[in-house]
Amino acid sequence: MTRPIWLVLVKEIRQMRRDARLLAAGFLGFLLVAVASFVGVQHHQIVTQQKREAAQTERSRWLNLSDLGPHGAAHFGIYVFKPETPLMAFDPGVDQFLGVSVWLEAHKQNKFIYRPMQDAGAVQRFFNMTPAAIIQLLGPLIIILLGFNAFAGERDQGTLRQLLSIGVDGRFLLLGKAAAVTGVLFLVLVPAVAMAIAAGIGLSADVSWLRLTLLVFVYCLYLGTFVGLTLAVTARAGSARSALAFLLAFWVVNGFLVPRSVAEIADWAIPLPSATAWQAGMEAEIRDGHATALELQVKRELFAQYGVDNVDALPVNWRGIMLQRGEEQNYPVFDAHFGKLFDGVRRQDIVYQWGGLLAPAVTIQSLSMGLAGSDFEHHKGFVRAAEEHRRVIQKTLNEELTLHPEKEWGEYSAGPELWARVPEFQYALPDLRDLMWHYAPAALILLAWCALAWVLALRSATTLRP
């Protein structure tokens, strides 16, 4: 059974070797992927090092603050930086649009800053040449160029009639031609991509092998979908020219038209407020931690608790308690506004994933970013981790202030011992199992695309006509 497949495979490889156009396309594909991988790895290394050095510098600055009041230090604040995951060398995702650093200070949950795409040109915003983007767009094109004449070319040359007349099973022809296209594709893409992934992994010992395995698997499904579709079309097309025209049209729709259109539909169906309006709405609800009403309430409670009638007689610093109460009364406001925003983005993402019914490129984009840790769900996890750390800082400083009652010579000044008690910011990627349900639509749709492509290919191969 394997001998006919092997003979077809050898024949297809020989024909591809003789076609200078295919060799040129293959070399160009390898070159583009290799360049994208090299640039991606270099950028990943630079950004990772910059973030590490910036985080160390910021921590050192915090630990070496001069003597000042705890609340002054709370307003002085500290920057934290979103760490790079190893697989971001392959797919940097939306991090370039969302920002990578945030300032943690008293009374506020600030927006993220440093968005590399703000300084990018229009072309780079439209298409960022990353290994993932190159494979998502270039991989299907290489498959089309390798396989559009697999059956249609045989039909044009009259050799398909000869093969069928001697009883060659169409399924063997299909499998042999599929093996040839897949083999050449892997020779073009795999070495360069492997370098990018290996280099990214080499930067960190925290790589998740489950994420890497699933990433390879979903890309195999995506490219396998195009192998099946290409062979199904060429088996049914009247000529190689018509097969090529149809496949190139589908490639344009898949890679350019549908992803942009689905994103616009998701934005229209679930509109999000502008950044200015959202920020203004949240600030309108936030209460000032120094508000007079809160101050009077805290004083009344403390006077009743300690049986005194003035702040000088209190055994604690009422300002520390008031500041912490002010922080805590704003937490629900932050959680509500950020939660509503996150929920809107999440629903937009679900709409986008279902758009994969129109083109498989939509599904692979969602799954690739999710597995690489560069999607909005991972960004949301970092936002929450940063806010939790901000709250820990404020609580630590306010509790220290509370322990030191106000004296006639002025406010208590803390030193390095207090700054060292504030823990260093640590962030770990969310558990992949917590995100699986979120990406279930994209995964199921990609599986359906691949299954449909190969069902069509097999049916076309079993009903071949010369």
Side-chain angles (χ1 to χ4, degrees):
M1 180 179 294
T2 57
R3 180 172 173 76
I5 298 175
W6 174 254
L7 293 176
V8 174
L9 170 62
V10 172
K11 169 184 171 295
E12 292 294 318
I13 294 294
R14 286 175 177 171
Q15 284 187 336
M16 291 178 186
R17 287 176 57 189
R18 297 191 191 106
D19 194 332
R21 293 170 299 178
L22 291 181
L23 292 177
F27 176 75
L28 180 61
F30 174 83
L31 188 62
L32 284 174
V33 176
V35 170
S37 300
F38 177 78
V39 172
V41 169
Q42 292 298 312
H43 177 74
H44 185 269
Q45 290 176 331
I46 292 171
V47 172
T48 299
Q49 184 63 24
Q50 287 177 341
K51 287 183 178 180
R52 186 181 297 117
E53 291 176 355
Q56 293 172 351
T57 300
E58 193 68 4
R59 179 64 178 175
S60 177
R61 179 186 66 82
W62 174 262
L63 294 176
N64 290 284
L65 285 177
S66 59
D67 291 350
L68 74 164
H71 191 56
H75 277 292
F76 203 75
I78 188 170
Y79 281 95
V80 294
F81 302 86
K82 185 193 300 184
E84 294 280 303
T85 67
L87 295 178
M88 281 185 183
F90 176 75
D91 190 348
V94 298
D95 268 24
Q96 301 171 89
F97 300 88
L98 297 176
V100 298
S101 178
V102 63
W103 182 34
L104 308 181
E105 63 168 331
H107 313 311
K108 297 179 181 179
Q109 184 172 354
N110 290 314
K111 296 183 294 184
F112 274 62
I113 61 173
Y114 182 59
R115 300 175 176 87
M117 277 300 165
Q118 287 181 326
D119 301 321
V123 174
Q124 189 177 359
R125 290 194 187 100
F126 178 75
F127 180 71
N128 194 15
M129 196 178 76
T130 65
I134 292 293
I135 293 177
Q136 292 167 15
L137 193 62
L138 185 64
L141 181 59
I142 294 176
I143 291 171
I144 291 170
L145 295 178
L146 290 173
F148 77 93
N149 64 345
F151 289 108
E154 300 265 15
R155 186 179 286 113
D156 291 344
Q157 297 169 10
T159 54
L160 182 60
R161 180 185 298 276
Q162 298 175 6
L163 291 171
L164 296 177
S165 65
I166 61 176
V168 176
D169 193 322
R171 291 172 297 180
F172 293 154
L173 287 174
L174 174 71
L175 295 177
K177 292 175 183 294
V181 171
T182 303
V184 174
L185 179 70
F186 273 38
L187 286 176
V188 171
L189 297 181
V190 169
V193 176
M195 288 189 296
I197 294 178
I201 292 172
L203 298 176
S204 173
D206 299 327
V207 63
S208 168
W209 292 103
L210 176 60
R211 286 176 180 266
L212 178 59
T213 302
L214 290 176
L215 189 65
V216 172
F217 177 69
V218 297
Y219 270 94
C220 287
L221 285 179
Y222 175 68
L223 297 176
T225 297
F226 276 89
V227 173
L229 285 175
T230 299
L231 294 177
V233 169
T234 188
R236 291 180 177 271
S239 66
R241 181 176 298 177
S242 61
L244 180 61
F246 180 86
L247 290 168
L248 287 179
F250 182 77
W251 175 74
V252 171
V253 170
N254 171 78
F256 296 100
L257 299 183
V258 171
R260 297 297 296 268
S261 300
V262 171
E264 292 294 333
I265 291 172
D267 188 56
W268 169 81
I270 307 171
L272 299 176
S274 67
T276 303
W278 176 80
Q279 187 74 24
M282 182 172 63
E283 290 178 353
E285 291 189 39
I286 294 175
R287 300 178 183 178
D288 187 356
H290 300 274
T292 304
L294 177 63
E295 177 180 327
L296 294 176
Q297 180 183 349
V298 169
K299 286 180 178 179
R300 283 197 303 267
E301 292 175 359
L302 290 175
F303 292 167
Q305 179 181 351
Y306 292 103
V308 298
D309 58 2
N310 63 83
V311 293
D312 292 332
L314 287 172
V316 295
N317 191 326
W318 67 276
R319 289 186 63 249
I321 297 174
M322 185 194 71
L323 289 169
Q324 184 59 28
R325 289 276 294 276
E327 291 283 348
E328 291 173 356
Q329 75 177 1
N330 289 334
Y331 292 165
V333 179
F334 294 141
D335 294 341
H337 281 265
F338 275 89
K340 186 176 180 180
L341 178 65
F342 291 162
D343 182 63
V345 176
R346 184 182 183 91
R347 287 187 291 131
Q348 280 190 349
D349 191 54
I350 294 297
V351 171
Y352 188 80
Q353 288 185 51
W354 282 107
L357 291 170
L358 302 176
V362 174
T363 63
I364 193 61
Q365 288 175 5
S366 296
L367 293 171
S368 179
M369 289 189 296
L371 291 169
S374 58
D375 63 334
F376 186 82
E377 288 297 305
H378 286 79
H379 178 77
K380 181 174 67 177
F382 181 79
V383 171
R384 288 176 171 167
E387 173 60 11
E388 287 299 321
H389 188 65
R390 188 189 75 83
R391 296 179 184 184
V392 169
I393 294 174
Q394 303 313 311
K395 186 175 182 180
T396 302
L397 298 178
N398 289 333
E399 286 179 346
E400 178 69 12
L401 181 60
T402 301
L403 296 176
H404 295 81
E406 288 187 324
K407 302 297 182 182
E408 57 185 16
W409 56 80
E411 184 180 338
Y412 159 71
S413 292
E417 297 80 6
L418 176 58
W419 319 140
R421 279 165 46 196
V422 173
E424 188 172 358
F425 177 71
Q426 300 290 337
Y427 172 70
L429 285 178
D431 194 320
L432 188 59
R433 291 171 295 184
D434 297 335
L435 302 175
M436 290 180 68
W437 284 110
H438 177 71
Y439 288 106
L444 292 175
I445 292 170
L446 183 58
L447 282 169
W449 266 106
C450 191
L452 176 63
W454 280 98
V455 167
L456 290 175
L458 286 170
R459 290 193 62 181
S460 300
T462 55
T463 58
L464 275 173
R465 295 291 183 271

